[in-house]
Amino acid sequence: MNYETARQFLIDQGTALETKINPDAFLMRLEQGKPPIPGQATNILLALKISFEMLQGDPLLDRELVAGLYLLAMESLKLFEAGRRKGVMWPPLLKEDIERISIAVKNIFSGVWPEGN
């Protein structure tokens, strides 16, 4: 996956609730109380790492990407918690995946990727 593909993928995943284009987007599935497609969280994490590496040292981030990243991090946790309150039985590692997504977004914003991540 190259940077442009990663960037567009993250924007599409993050803005899925607004655009309603892809019913299988990460946030759309969470909103419906469905688990992510196998490998979907891994692909998001890979796209985040690629984006971090490309943007490291860049003092400016484009608004479209920032909005997608912010929504992806914030909405995934909200939707996970809302589903849990409704009794959705999420996959065992989904909460950890969502936490890793949030940490990776924070890392992109801060410009620092901790060792071991």
Side-chain angles (χ1 to χ4, degrees), residues 20-32:
K20 307 278 188 206
I21 293 171
N22 181 1
D24 286 327
F26 188 73
L27 294 179
M28 293 289 289
R29 292 186 64 85
L30 294 180
E31 184 180 54
Q32 297 164 10

Side-chain angles (χ1 to χ4, degrees), residues 5 8 14 22-23 40 46 48 53 65 86 90 102 108 112:
T5 302
Q8 193 57 54
N22 181 1
Q40 195 168 31
L46 174 63
L48 288 165
E53 290 170 356
L65 177 60
K86 290 179 185 174
W90 296 116
S102 295
I108 290 171
V112 178

Side-chain angles (χ1 to χ4, degrees), residues 4-20:
E4 283 305 317
T5 302
R7 178 187 175 280
Q8 193 57 54
F9 177 69
L10 292 169
I11 291 168
D12 292 345
Q13 293 297 309
T15 60
L17 296 176
E18 296 171 352
T19 64
K20 307 278 188 206

Side-chain angles (χ1 to χ4, degrees), residues 6-105:
R7 178 187 175 280
Q8 193 57 54
F9 177 69
L10 292 169
I11 291 168
D12 292 345
Q13 293 297 309
T15 60
L17 296 176
E18 296 171 352
T19 64
K20 307 278 188 206
I21 293 171
N22 181 1
D24 286 327
F26 188 73
L27 294 179
M28 293 289 289
R29 292 186 64 85
L30 294 180
E31 184 180 54
Q32 297 164 10
K34 297 179 184 176
I37 296 169
Q40 195 168 31
T42 302
N43 285 336
I44 290 170
L45 290 165
L46 174 63
L48 288 165
K49 180 69 171 170
I50 290 168
S51 297
F52 172 82
E53 290 170 356
M54 188 65 183
L55 297 169
Q56 189 175 15
D58 191 342
L60 302 174
L61 300 175
D62 72 87
R63 289 179 189 264
E64 186 178 26
L65 177 60
V66 168
L69 293 175
Y70 175 80
L71 290 168
L72 184 60
M74 298 303 292
E75 295 300 323
S76 59
L77 185 56
K78 283 184 198 175
L79 294 168
F80 175 86
E81 293 298 335
R84 197 173 69 172
R85 285 191 301 274
K86 290 179 185 174
V88 174
M89 296 300 293
W90 296 116
L93 298 177
L94 181 58
K95 182 167 174 91
E96 287 82 4
D97 285 338
I98 290 171
E99 288 170 353
R100 282 191 280 277
I101 289 168
S102 295
I103 290 167
V105 168

